[in-house]
Amino acid sequence: MAMIDLRSDTVTKPTPAMRRAMMEAEVGDDGRLDPQGMGEDPTMNRLEAMAAALLGKDRSLFVPSGTMGNVVALMTHCRRGDEVVVGEKAHVLNIEKAIFEEEFFGLIPVTIPDPAGKLDLALLEKALKTKPIRLVCVENTHNFAGGAAVPPEHLQKVQALAHAHQVPVHMDGARLFNAATALKIEARVLAATVDSVMFCLSKGLSAPIGSMIAGTGPFMQRAWERRKLLGGQMRQAGVVAAAGIEAIRNMVSRLEEDHQKARVLARVLAETGGLKAPENFHSNMIKLDLTSLNFSAKEFQAEMAQRGVKVHIHAPTEIRLVTHKDVSEAECLQAAQIISQFWKERRREMA
Ligand SMILES: Cc1ncc(COP(=O)(O)O)c(C=O)c1O
């Protein structure tokens, strides 16, 4: 049976243009610097310059994963034992974890509710006034808030509060371009609200590997050193940078298609399955709460797999559907019908 894979946008395969660019990439040793401090891989240098210009930051740096990007950024801003404000549902806190684990990097999280992906501003201000906060972290789009796009107006308030206490702000923008697309603004408007930002090339943008971190010159110099310490420095990295260049050039503008497919999916789920509109639904993700079905996410996942749809478990009674380049609108429609059908059957059984 052909499966419709809605687990994540990380399942996207590189495009033929990416594969060609990878094959033809001009490369050098990215770990060796010339007297101007530039690595020797010309393709990587081009990608890093492009990403920095796109986000309006001084410099950017390629890292193998979003997790390493966040770790490098947080290690650059902080020292072991520093207190960091982070949303209760933040990916960096709940999934990546290592940065806050004593045996790894030992930062101390000061968690604040982040409904709809927005930090509670009153609690943020209180934390800044009462604790020696070293950094504030935000996330956009916000994964556990159902792909919520956090608007610049909120982020500017976070920035103003943090900066009033000389505290920098870091953004986990794994899906920054989804946020910008949903908000109909340039990504640089969101990047301007933070001191450092990470975004992934390997999610909806479909590159096989890699994320970028961007920030000011001195910060990025220290970040380069941190990345080296973590083993994130690579050699002929132009082979993957070439795909990243393609991703930035040609894949950002198509993210709206993914959001459109998610709207189709949500509409059909509501119309035919009677599922209520998902919370904070702005981009390419749909969260489904299974409590009304009295079904666990694990059971739901197994049932859907038998019916031809792959879904992702978000929480014990919550699943996530993500649209992306490698599912068509017709497949999204079909998946919505399969899920709706099951939903109705289950409701009937329970009645
Ligand atoms: C919001 C967010 N941040 C960071 C990451 C980590 O990215 P990676 O899987 O490339 O390490 C993810 C991955 O899904 C994510 O959703």
Side-chain angles (χ1 to χ4, degrees):
M1 177 174 31
M3 298 295 283
I4 302 171
D5 194 344
L6 295 174
R7 287 172 300 169
S8 178
D9 45 13
T10 59
V11 302
T12 45
K13 308 249 166 79
T15 62
M18 285 179 187
R19 290 180 189 265
R20 262 195 313 277
M22 292 172 80
M23 198 172 73
E24 291 164 7
E26 202 187 331
V27 294
D29 185 343
D30 190 48
R32 287 181 198 283
L33 304 187
D34 68 13
Q36 284 74 46
M38 297 294 285
E40 288 181 9
D41 189 299
T43 310
M44 183 56 79
N45 289 344
R46 259 198 305 140
L47 170 65
E48 290 180 345
M50 260 175 94
L54 194 61
L55 298 182
K57 297 291 187 202
D58 292 349
R59 274 185 68 187
S60 89
L61 189 65
F62 181 91
V63 278
S65 68
T67 301
M68 190 184 282
N70 283 330
V71 169
V72 166
L74 269 68
M75 280 180 75
T76 306
H77 285 293
C78 306
R79 296 281 171 273
R80 175 175 283 279
D82 279 348
E83 298 190 39
V84 175
V85 168
V86 63
E88 242 165 38
K89 297 214 175 104
H91 195 275
V92 69
L93 177 73
N94 292 288
I95 305 293
E96 297 165 46
K97 292 186 178 162
I99 198 79
F100 296 110
E101 291 200 345
E102 175 52 30
E103 64 269 34
F104 289 100
F105 302 106
L107 300 187
I108 299 171
V110 175
T111 58
I112 284 189
D114 50 356
K118 294 178 186 159
L119 289 179
D120 181 310
L121 294 173
L123 293 176
L124 170 63
E125 186 168 23
K126 188 169 165 210
L128 287 162
K129 279 186 174 155
T130 56
K131 289 172 181 284
I133 301 297
R134 187 73 195 85
L135 178 70
V136 174
C137 285
V138 293
E139 183 174 321
N140 208 6
T141 59
H142 197 290
N143 190 336
F144 282 84
V150 184
E153 295 75 17
H154 169 80
L155 296 165
Q156 283 153 5
K157 289 180 190 155
V158 170
Q159 182 185 42
L161 285 172
H163 284 187
H165 292 82
Q166 289 78 51
V167 172
V169 184
H170 170 71
M171 181 184 283
D172 172 355
R175 296 179 180 81
L176 177 71
F177 292 97
N178 291 89
T181 301
L183 295 162
K184 298 189 172 28
I185 56 177
E186 297 287 331
R188 60 167 53 228
V189 176
L190 295 170
T193 66
V194 294
D195 299 274
S196 61
V197 56
M198 180 284 287
F199 76 87
C200 295
L201 298 162
S202 59
K203 299 200 160 62
L205 300 185
S206 308
I209 298 170
S211 294
M212 309 300 296
I213 43 182
T216 60
F219 173 86
M220 293 310 298
Q221 179 56 40
R222 291 200 310 280
W224 186 89
E225 288 157 14
R226 295 290 180 204
R227 181 187 69 167
K228 184 173 163 69
L229 289 180
L230 288 174
Q233 174 181 284
M234 288 174 286
R235 301 303 177 183
Q236 284 69 39
V239 287
V240 282
I245 290 173
E246 269 296 316
I248 288 180
R249 267 205 198 127
N250 296 318
M251 305 304 280
V252 171
S253 58
R254 62 153 304 289
L255 290 175
E256 175 51 30
E257 282 174 38
D258 296 346
H259 296 190
Q260 170 58 20
K261 285 183 274 195
R263 285 194 288 271
V264 167
L265 190 52
R267 179 172 49 74
V268 177
L269 288 174
E271 283 172 6
T272 63
L275 278 76
K276 77 171 171 35
E279 264 177 61
N280 314 315
F281 167 55
H282 303 147
S283 59
N284 64 335
M285 291 186 183
I286 297 178
K287 270 197 320 186
L288 289 182
D289 180 358
L290 305 175
T291 39
S292 69
L293 294 191
N294 196 19
F295 224 56
S296 74
K298 233 177 167 170
E299 289 168 313
F300 187 85
Q301 187 186 48
E303 183 66 40
M304 285 304 113
Q306 283 191 359
R307 295 176 187 225
V309 183
K310 289 188 182 180
V311 303
H312 175 79
I313 297 178
H314 227 201
T317 58
E318 193 173 274
I319 61 131
R320 187 188 73 178
L321 310 169
V322 185
T323 57
H324 51 79
K325 160 180 88 59
D326 294 341
V327 282
S328 66
E329 189 166 318
E331 286 171 319
C332 289
L333 209 68
Q334 196 187 340
Q337 278 152 357
I338 292 169
I339 295 169
S340 295
Q341 178 61 31
F342 171 71
W343 206 275
K344 281 192 291 193
E345 284 168 22
R346 182 77 190 151
R347 303 282 298 187
R348 237 178 278 129
E349 270 169 35
M350 288 172 67

